[in-house]
Amino acid sequence: MADPILKVTDLFTGYDGIPVVFGISLEVMPGELVAIVGANGAGKTTIMRTICGLAHPLKGKILFEGTDISQHAAHQTLKLGISYVPEGRRIFAKLSVEKNLALGAYTENSKAEIHRRLEELLEIFPVLRARAKQTAETLSGGEQQMLAIARGLMSRPKLFMLDEMSLGLMPSMVEKMMETITAINHAGTTVLLVEQMVQEALEIAHRGYVIQTGKIVQFGTARELLDSEEVRKAYMGM
Ligand SMILES: Nc1ncnc2c1ncn2[C@@H]1O[C@H](COP(=O)(O)OP(=O)(O)O)[C@@H](O)[C@H]1O
Ligand SMILES: [Mg+2]
């Protein structure tokens, strides 16, 4: 068995020293697509922020490729190969699509390399090529989310973390987003995503963790979770 690319052990994390996440453990294997699912307020974003270094654990350990990153800052985890696309997109509204993308590669110094990656991503996201010179604020919600995803890929992450990318999108766009993430994963990038859209996320994931008020209440293969009566009752209205 290969070693996990990400291993979180007994993680407590929260705000101002008060935990909202209580002792969760999870791991992601190289090449996997793993989903953390749960209701609004369960602690998903807090976990993601802590893994990527925007917050630090109150207790517990986070290993990335065997390195303890619990006390790393976000720019350090990015350098190691972790890219986080936060909830709510956070693109630069007044900057062009192209410029937004280029900023995603800010750890890379070579202009030629940045250009190469830009070209590659515009190939994958043709809708962004058509709008490359427009300011980001002129894009639709779905296009802005595509831009946020593409920008997150500009650093060529080993672990790509996505926070509620389906939020506020219409169903057809959500489906497109899920297809895009599947394709990115098939092309070799390891993905960890969090979603309130439990069914949609589990349909593309290999494995999943269900989180409720800061604790993992269930985990398993995506199939097992999709078939679980508890999960179906609690999150799929069945
Ligand atoms: N900046 C903050 N300060 C204090 N509490 C927060 C802050 N952000 C989130 N929380 C609380 O932490 C808990 C988990 O929130 P969050 O991780 O955002 O959940 P999710 O992403 O699953 O919706 C919630 O109870 C929320 O109210
Ligand atoms: Mg959240």
Side-chain angles (χ1 to χ4, degrees), residues 57-77:
L58 295 164
K59 181 172 175 256
K61 212 150 91 172
I62 306 168
L63 296 182
F64 179 69
E65 296 189 313
T67 302
D68 188 342
I69 57 164
S70 325
Q71 300 307 320
H72 279 42
H75 69 271
Q76 293 173 302
T77 65

Side-chain angles (χ1 to χ4, degrees), residues 18 61 68 147 158 214 217:
I18 299 163
K61 212 150 91 172
D68 188 342
L147 174 57
K158 293 177 189 167
V217 292

Side-chain angles (χ1 to χ4, degrees), residues 1 5 19 92 142 148 188 204 214:
M1 266 283 268
I5 184 167
F92 298 102
I204 66 164

Side-chain angles (χ1 to χ4, degrees), residues 15-16 20-21 38-47 87 163-164 194 196 211:
Y15 302 89
D16 304 318
V20 299
V21 168
N40 188 25
K44 303 181 298 299
T45 295
T46 309
I47 295 170
E87 211 176 327
D163 199 335
E164 306 275 7
V194 305
Q196 287 181 52
I211 170 158

Side-chain angles (χ1 to χ4, degrees), residues 20-64:
V20 299
V21 168
F22 309 94
I24 64 136
S25 297
L26 60 89
E27 55 184 47
V28 180
M29 300 303 287
E32 263 193 319
L33 196 171
V34 173
I36 301 174
V37 295
N40 188 25
K44 303 181 298 299
T45 295
T46 309
I47 295 170
M48 296 292 257
R49 289 174 52 85
T50 308
I51 293 171
C52 77
L54 290 167
H56 297 296
L58 295 164
K59 181 172 175 256
K61 212 150 91 172
I62 306 168
L63 296 182
F64 179 69

Side-chain angles (χ1 to χ4, degrees), residues 169-177 197 200:
L169 299 181
M170 54 185 180
S172 63
M173 233 18 244
V174 172
E175 199 174 316
K176 182 123 203 285
M177 223 52 83
M197 298 199 105
E200 286 78 357

